[in-house]
Amino acid sequence: MYRASLSLLAGLSFVPGGSTAPTASPATLIASHYTGKLFTLTFTPSGSAGSLTVGSPVTGCGTTPAWLELYSADKTLYCFDESWNGSGFIAKYSVGSDGKLTLGSQAKTTGNSVHGLLYGGTDGKGFVATVEYSPSTLTTYKLPLSGSTKPLSTLKFTLAQKGPNSRQDVAHPHEALLDPTGKFMLVPDLGADLIRIFSIDANSGTLTSCGSGKADPGDGPRHGQFFWTKPDSTQPQILYTLNELGNSVSSWNITYPSGAGGCISLTKLQTLSTYAPGTKGGPTTKAAELRTFGNFLYAANRADQTFGSQNDSIATYKIDPATGKITWLEAANAYAYYPRTFEINKAGTLVAVGGQTSSNVAIINRDPATGKLGSLVASVQVATPGRAGEEDGLSAVVWNE
Ligand SMILES: *[C@@H]1O[C@H](CO)[C@@H](O)[C@H](O)[C@H]1NC(C)=O
Ligand SMILES: *[C@@H]1O[C@H](CO)[C@@H](O)[C@H](O)[C@H]1NC(C)=O
Ligand SMILES: *[C@@H]1O[C@H](CO)[C@@H](O)[C@H](O)[C@H]1NC(C)=O
């Protein structure tokens, strides 16, 4: 495909690898900050460089907005509040074409939600599920949100015994991950070393525990991503998980039930470090986020300072498209300290990294052919920087596209 388009363009004065691409129009991003604010950022590309500007903040997601879930087709953003004071908020915003956020509805929560998303109903948007890190709960609510919204259900997880890592004192669900068929919810539990599996009743929003995948002791699974070795299938064949405590990523074979009423089963295939072979993280490093794009997997390391005091790394892996097997490619500069979230744009050409402690958003080049992350395109500080090892600074960033 790439070669064909080069020869097609041969008659034009196209310089391969050069910066003759037409200047694209500005893109917007949305970032949340642990001081209770959400910001719209505007990225204006200019040749191979670009600039980022930060708009005025909006509030509405409580004291500690932690996670953003964008529904671009609906121009809607949901924000989840990590407040650890025993109460918090879910907030819904409408997103203008210029990225401007307008607070719509809000609901009170029990606080400490580190992730959430919509599921069920007739269109996959009938309910919202959230996970609470220290209360160890998976909570559901019926949409639409309002001031009188109350939880539909609260499932509390417990441990049969503590895990080997001191942070595995209780169950710590870290994500409500909707399977692409919409029939199952997977909950990586950092405290329990489990990927908990729930079947979804789309009509009632009921989540029923139906099994789990067992991570290795001390892995501390945090987030997951799906991969298709059969791209035409509605069901993914592989799940990748990021292990925050083990500083590693794992791959799992997913088997879907043949009939109604069954459960997904997960078989662990592989675990690879988020550090280059022969190296490892230190006592304060914590892997944070993983993303797939094409046949590549990326995992962000927090506080490893591989590329300098304010430059942590993003581990890069190649995926064998036939089997989902991953192999180490390289460590790339995240241009951020404590990259808690990152997201690749739809074109696969740019990565937005949210540095939590550095409280910056960095835009980095990505080569779609090699999967490699490259030079810094733009970076901007958003609100106040955090303090090393504290729950402050910039919590999340998403592309608005
Ligand atoms: C917890 O409550 C205190 C006192 O009301 C408030 O100052 C602080 O911002 C709250 N912190 C969080 C994380 O919600
Ligand atoms: C994954 O599971 C499927 C279905 O059970 C099986 O056919 C396949 O061999 C498994 N793949 C691997 C890599 O274990
Ligand atoms: C981050 O990395 C860039 C590119 O290598 C370098 O120019 C910069 O000095 C580094 N900054 C810090 C604070 O480590």
Side-chain angles (χ1 to χ4, degrees), residues 230 237-238 252-256 265 267-269 322-324:
K230 296 174 182 151
Q237 288 71 43
I238 300 284
W252 308 73
N253 194 5
I254 311 175
T255 310
Y256 279 80
S265 70
T267 310
K268 188 150 46 59
L269 301 171
T323 61

Side-chain angles (χ1 to χ4, degrees), residues 201-367:
D201 182 310
N203 193 36
S204 65
T206 305
L207 303 180
T208 305
S209 172
C210 68
S212 61
K214 255 190 185 4
D216 284 335
D219 275 354
R222 173 185 172 100
H223 284 176
Q225 288 273 300
F226 296 98
F227 184 78
W228 280 255
T229 55
K230 296 174 182 151
D232 295 336
S233 171
T234 54
Q235 300 170 344
Q237 288 71 43
I238 300 284
L239 171 73
Y240 296 112
T241 52
L242 175 121
N243 300 311
E244 170 171 341
L245 304 180
N247 294 300
S248 59
V249 290
S250 297
S251 66
W252 308 73
N253 194 5
I254 311 175
T255 310
Y256 279 80
S258 47
C263 193
I264 280 179
S265 70
L266 294 174
T267 310
K268 188 150 46 59
L269 301 171
Q270 237 189 319
T271 297
L272 287 188
S273 172
T274 54
Y275 292 96
T279 66
K280 57 182 180 149
T284 59
T285 61
K286 301 193 248 181
E289 183 62 291
L290 83 169
R291 296 283 176 190
T292 56
F293 199 101
N295 296 323
F296 299 92
L297 173 69
Y298 303 88
N301 286 309
R302 291 179 289 184
D304 65 301
Q305 301 176 314
T306 295
F307 294 92
S309 64
Q310 296 286 304
N311 289 329
D312 289 340
S313 70
I314 296 181
T316 311
Y317 310 84
K318 265 189 196 168
I319 302 175
D320 179 334
T323 61
K325 187 172 193 282
I326 50 173
T327 47
W328 176 261
L329 183 58
E330 63 177 18
N333 194 339
Y335 294 97
Y337 180 53
Y338 225 77
R340 186 174 191 272
T341 61
F342 68 101
E343 196 175 65
I344 300 164
N345 68 349
K346 284 200 175 124
T349 53
L350 297 170
V351 184
V353 182
Q356 184 184 320
T357 307
S358 47
S359 202
N360 72 317
V361 170
I363 308 286
I364 304 172
N365 276 313
R366 176 180 180 275
D367 182 331

Side-chain angles (χ1 to χ4, degrees), residues 43 57 64 69 105 107 134 139 144 195 210 221 224 227 249 291 329 349 388:
F43 170 62
T64 323
E69 199 72 20
S105 47
S134 280
T139 308
I195 313 301
C210 68
F227 184 78
V249 290
R291 296 283 176 190
L329 183 58
T349 53

Side-chain angles (χ1 to χ4, degrees), residues 29-33 37-41 68 101 361 382 394-398:
L29 304 101
I30 298 158
S32 56
H33 196 273
K37 299 181 181 103
L38 272 61
F39 297 86
T40 300
L41 279 66
L68 302 175
L101 298 173
V361 170
V382 180
L394 187 138
S395 51
V397 66
V398 293

